Amino acid sequence: MKRINPDTKKEFKRGDKREDGYIFSHYSIKRLKANGFYTESWNSPKSQKNKDKSDAKRLKNKAEFAKKNPGKKRLNPNTRKEFMLGDCVDGKYFLGYDNRYVKIDGFTRELWSNWDTYHRFKVKGIKVNAHYRAKKKGYKSDLTIDYLVNIFPKDFLCPALGIKMEWGNREEIHSSPSLDRIIPSKGYKKRKCCMDIN
């Protein structure tokens, strides 16, 4: 079991602080204590500061290396073009090329996911855009990714038009889901929105 943070009533997460100033790093899930809880790793403020600097330097070096040594991008075997967001190969969905990492074979690392993660990724994009539009126009938005995933039609039929929705990419967005405000002046509020096509 993982010990719970008494302040948040949730599992500890990286960066949580104890009363003595020590900072939580991670649960050691391979080691159990006698009481059945996983061993925890905590860093002193000084060692955490040094670790943060080291991590920042490592990421900067990786980014600089990737900039000077851009990897080749593997092509989609079906289209013979670079993979696009949502391309499906062997049941996995393409999320993007990770330009910060070049593999030993000289190709840029690729990010892939299962359908549920891809679907959530696309819903997250809708939420982020809705929050951006709301903030820009002075509207309110209390939507969460979990809420939008929950109300998303399981059959992918648009509740307003009855048309089959599909997650499109930059080449085909004619039936991609989008978010509507039933009462525009009230912004994006829970139980006041529906998904339909663009």
Side-chain angles (χ1 to χ4, degrees):
M1 293 185 298
K2 293 180 179 177
R3 194 167 64 92
I4 301 300
N5 184 332
D7 296 328
T8 64
K9 309 298 184 219
K10 296 179 181 178
E11 292 177 0
F12 284 103
K13 62 181 182 184
R14 189 179 178 88
D16 284 353
K17 288 186 179 179
R18 283 192 322 211
E19 315 79 45
D20 60 4
Y22 274 65
I23 301 159
F24 183 75
S25 174
H26 63 278
Y27 293 99
S28 299
I29 58 174
K30 293 181 180 177
R31 296 174 59 196
L32 281 176
K33 294 192 279 187
N35 61 6
F37 286 94
Y38 289 121
T39 303
E40 300 163 4
S41 180
W42 294 83
N43 297 324
S44 69
K46 185 177 179 181
S47 66
Q48 183 65 42
K49 190 175 181 181
N50 291 338
K51 190 174 185 319
D52 290 344
K53 281 183 183 177
S54 174
D55 289 347
K57 186 176 180 181
R58 183 173 47 80
L59 289 174
K60 184 180 177 185
N61 289 343
K62 277 190 177 181
E64 287 174 0
F65 177 82
K67 205 171 186 179
K68 293 175 186 173
N69 305 284
K72 297 177 284 185
K73 292 182 177 176
R74 192 168 66 95
L75 302 181
N76 184 329
N78 300 323
T79 64
R80 305 308 306 158
K81 296 178 181 177
E82 289 182 5
F83 285 105
M84 295 181 69
L85 177 65
D87 280 352
C88 182
V89 175
D90 297 329
K92 294 289 183 183
Y93 293 83
F94 183 72
L95 295 181
Y97 293 101
D98 189 348
N99 296 320
R100 297 171 301 167
Y101 298 92
V102 178
K103 299 186 291 183
I104 294 172
D105 60 9
F107 284 91
T108 301
R109 185 169 76 172
E110 300 163 3
L111 304 174
W112 294 83
S113 72
N114 59 23
W115 166 255
D116 290 336
T117 303
Y118 171 66
H119 178 62
R120 191 174 178 84
F121 180 82
K122 294 293 284 184
V123 170
K124 179 182 178 182
I126 286 179
K127 177 206 167 260
V128 168
N129 288 334
H131 277 289
Y132 174 77
R133 288 192 302 271
K135 188 175 181 181
K136 193 174 179 181
K137 296 186 177 182
Y139 298 137
K140 293 183 179 178
S141 175
D142 65 357
L143 303 179
T144 64
I145 298 170
D146 288 334
Y147 175 74
L148 292 177
V149 168
N150 189 48
I151 67 165
F152 197 99
K154 305 302 179 219
D155 57 6
F156 266 72
L157 288 178
C158 170
L161 303 175
I163 297 171
K164 185 80 171 178
M165 298 182 290
E166 297 175 281
W167 287 122
N169 53 40
R170 61 180 180 264
E171 289 184 350
E172 55 173 285
I173 57 171
H174 56 279
S175 60
S176 291
S178 65
L179 199 61
D180 287 340
R181 288 169 286 144
I182 293 175
I183 304 174
S185 61
K186 291 192 174 182
Y188 297 98
K189 306 288 285 178
K190 290 179 182 176
R191 293 186 302 275
K192 298 289 183 184
C193 61
C194 72
M195 308 291 286
D196 75 4
I197 63 170
N198 285 327

